[in-house]
Amino acid sequence: VDQTITATAAASGANATQRFTTDKIGGAQTPPERVSELAREVLASVHKTIRDHNVTYDEYNALKSWLIMVGQDGEWPLFLDVWVEHVVEEVAAQSREGSKGTIEGPYYVPDAPELGFEATLPTRDDEAGTPLLFQGQVRGVDGTPLPEAVLEIWHADADGFYSQFAPGIPEWNLRGTVTADTEGRFHIHTVKPAPYQIPTDGACGKLISAAGWHPWRPAHLHLKVAAAGHQQITTQLYFPGDSHNDDDVANAVKPELILAPTEVDGGQQVTYDFVLDPE
Ligand code: MBD
Ligand code: FE
């Protein structure tokens, strides 16, 4: 299948919006004083930009129609996770000592199939891509192994598409919930993902082309790592030599998150350990 034709921004946006409204409803009980302060400051920075740059009515109307399009295309999750979430993550992680994390992005799905510590992610019979063995250990900040730590992993395929967000891919393809062994160790067999291009045919793509930016994220694995009595981390891991490691549209790469895989018979192998802070 040529998914470059069938994977539209509006379809993956609708799926991401549906996912978000299902999983993340509720949220903070933010007191009115704080809502007022935050809303005032955001609006004041918009007002300042308009004054500083003598923004015209034509430009104001272009903004208005673009914002309407973001909603119509279901691209609020994409827009916010690409251009805003990295700062929220930076602030949230300030007091953590363990492994670095980074943004979740719009394509996490809870309750992926449960796999043991020797795991093979669900793939199609003819799944493209270099086989990858991703292994390691989950420990606490004091070095103690964390038995039965749970690693949720999800990533794009070798064409850069995510199951449940692009059409024609089996539901749980390249998604799994892996339980580590009694020493916190895990071995996950998968394939290397491709670099990811955020949809170019929707509102986010329109902003990117109007601004002369690029739509690329470097190839990455997404993970959530949890263990009893410890803070869960959400992270992503990247591959060396990817030209977008220094130039990620979503600003989510950190040097500590770049893997060092080695070539082995039939593919690549990499060891990466996770360190979790106590609760
Ligand atoms: C992705 O795959 C992603 O990880 C982020 C952060 C934004 C858009 C697509
Ligand atoms: Fe991603």
Side-chain angles (χ1 to χ4, degrees):
V1 235
D2 186 353
Q3 274 154 344
T4 53
I5 292 166
T6 53
T8 64
S12 69
N15 291 344
T17 299
Q18 176 61 41
R19 213 41 282 161
F20 179 80
T21 50
T22 308
D23 299 341
K24 308 256 163 81
I25 37 157
Q29 290 302 310
T30 310
E33 307 73 46
R34 185 164 166 88
V35 174
S36 175
E37 183 180 34
L38 299 181
R40 265 179 205 283
E41 279 193 32
V42 169
L43 290 168
S45 63
V46 173
H47 303 158
K48 180 175 188 305
T49 303
I50 295 167
R51 289 195 183 99
D52 289 355
H53 298 275
N54 292 310
V55 169
T56 66
Y57 259 98
D58 279 350
E59 289 166 335
Y60 173 64
N61 286 329
L63 170 67
K64 229 166 149 174
S65 68
W66 182 78
L67 288 170
I68 291 165
M69 193 188 307
V70 176
Q72 285 169 343
D73 290 344
E75 285 199 332
W76 280 114
L78 182 68
F79 171 77
L80 290 166
D81 294 351
V82 167
W83 284 293
V84 180
E85 190 188 353
H86 68 99
V87 188
V88 181
E89 192 278 334
E90 177 188 310
V91 170
Q94 270 169 160
S95 60
R96 275 209 335 255
E97 276 178 47
S99 299
K100 290 279 179 226
T102 190
I103 65 177
E104 176 175 320
Y107 302 143
Y108 168 68
V109 183
D111 305 319
E114 294 193 12
L115 310 165
F117 61 85
E118 189 71 53
T120 300
L121 296 191
T123 50
R124 291 158 284 190
D125 290 341
D126 57 349
E127 193 71 46
T130 306
L132 176 71
L133 170 57
F134 172 69
Q135 60 187 9
Q137 186 184 33
V138 186
R139 294 187 298 267
V141 284
D142 60 358
T144 339
L146 299 177
E148 275 106 46
V150 175
L151 301 99
E152 294 176 87
I153 178 168
W154 71 103
H155 65 84
D157 65 17
D159 294 320
F161 293 107
Y162 285 87
S163 59
Q164 301 189 42
F165 297 91
I169 305 176
E171 188 174 23
W172 296 106
N173 212 58
L174 302 175
R175 295 176 181 273
T177 304
V178 175
T179 303
D181 70 9
T182 53
E183 290 187 342
R185 293 187 194 279
F186 60 88
H187 302 261
I188 302 170
H189 296 265
T190 186
V191 295
K192 280 182 82 173
Y196 178 84
Q197 185 181 30
I198 73 166
T200 51
D201 61 321
C204 291
K206 198 155 180 165
L207 170 61
I208 286 169
S209 61
W213 301 340
H214 74 73
W216 291 97
R217 299 214 59 224
H220 55 279
L221 305 173
H222 288 270
L223 288 120
K224 283 179 183 283
V225 183
H230 290 75
Q231 297 180 43
Q232 184 183 54
I233 60 169
T234 299
T235 192
Q236 297 182 35
L237 298 170
Y238 304 91
F239 298 89
D242 192 307
S243 63
H244 292 102
N245 282 344
D246 300 321
D247 187 24
D248 173 12
V249 64
N251 255 283
V253 182
K254 303 177 186 182
E256 299 87 345
L257 303 179
I258 300 179
L259 295 167
T262 56
E263 302 290 329
V264 292
D265 255 6
Q268 294 190 359
Q269 178 176 317
V270 66
T271 301
Y272 189 90
D273 296 340
F274 295 97
V275 176
L276 303 188
D277 284 69
E279 229 153 36

